[in-house]
Amino acid sequence: MGGISIFMVLGILMSVAILFLVALLIFMVYLIMNYVLESIFLYHISKKLNYQYPILSWLPFYNKYYLGKVGKKELQAKVLLMNYFILVVLLSISSMVSSLPTGVNTLIFIFTLLSILLNFVLNIWISHHIMKVAIPKIATYLTLLNVFTLGLSRSIILFVIRNNENLIA
């Protein structure tokens, strides 16, 4: 009887592990899709605005600066860029160092959550400004959609409006 219960517990644990891996795979596909669509948007707009190096819109992290540059929010873009680096440092520390005291781990966790929240708010704000220039009548509704979908629709919307003539005016 004990062997059957062990197999049941192991089966449940394997199901949870598979569920976790599927969720991780879906999240990774979303991140890649978001990066590609946003980079296509930024590259396209950078070329139309005659930026000196539009290919830089494909650089991870730096493309966030380009997003602010296109949206004419360079200060917010610099804050966003620096915040991404801070987030990478916090995540690196929390994943590499396991012998930190509980209080330090808690602080790292709180700062990581605050950094993620700030990234979300700045991305939505800069994107809203871009949408307000491109499609002013529905920009507020699209920003609400971005907020309610937790930013999932942001890169898709930016990709769709990349050919809008108001962006390069």
Side-chain angles (χ1 to χ4, degrees):
M1 287 290 207
I4 294 174
S5 63
I6 288 174
F7 282 126
M8 288 178 64
V9 169
L10 287 176
I12 291 170
L13 289 176
M14 289 300 293
S15 299
V16 170
I18 290 172
L19 183 66
F20 176 73
L21 288 175
V22 167
L24 185 63
L25 179 67
I26 290 170
F27 182 68
M28 293 300 289
V29 167
Y30 161 72
L31 285 178
I32 292 169
M33 180 195 74
N34 185 30
Y35 170 74
V36 168
L37 290 177
E38 189 174 291
S39 295
I40 290 171
F41 164 77
L42 290 171
Y43 181 76
H44 189 76
I45 297 298
S46 298
K47 281 179 66 176
K48 283 186 173 184
L49 293 173
N50 295 323
Y51 287 169
Q52 190 172 4
Y53 302 107
I55 197 73
L56 292 178
S57 62
W58 285 93
L59 286 178
F61 303 114
Y62 193 73
N63 65 356
K64 296 300 178 183
Y65 175 72
Y66 259 47
L67 185 69
K69 196 172 178 182
V70 166
K72 296 176 179 55
K73 295 284 183 186
E74 287 193 47
L75 177 63
Q76 290 83 357
K78 288 177 184 177
V79 171
L80 182 63
L81 180 64
M82 288 179 19
N83 196 37
Y84 266 104
F85 285 121
I86 290 170
L87 182 61
V88 167
V89 168
L90 288 171
L91 290 174
S92 299
I93 289 171
S94 68
S95 65
M96 290 184 199
V97 182
S98 60
S99 61
L100 293 173
T102 306
V104 174
N105 280 333
T106 304
L107 281 175
I108 290 173
F109 179 72
I110 290 170
F111 285 136
T112 302
L113 287 180
L114 290 174
S115 179
I116 290 170
L117 181 66
L118 182 62
N119 282 347
F120 176 73
V121 169
L122 287 174
N123 269 313
I124 296 293
W125 186 19
I126 293 170
S127 299
H128 173 70
H129 188 73
I130 292 170
M131 287 183 275
K132 210 166 48 171
V133 170
I135 39 179
K137 291 182 180 178
I138 60 171
T140 303
Y141 299 116
L142 292 176
T143 301
L144 286 173
L145 177 68
N146 283 334
V147 171
F148 289 136
T149 61
L150 299 176
L152 294 175
S153 61
R154 185 180 58 81
S155 60
I156 296 168
I157 293 168
L158 290 176
F159 178 77
V160 169
I161 66 171
R162 75 186 183 283
N163 292 322
N164 191 302
E165 294 301 320
N166 293 340
L167 288 173
I168 57 172

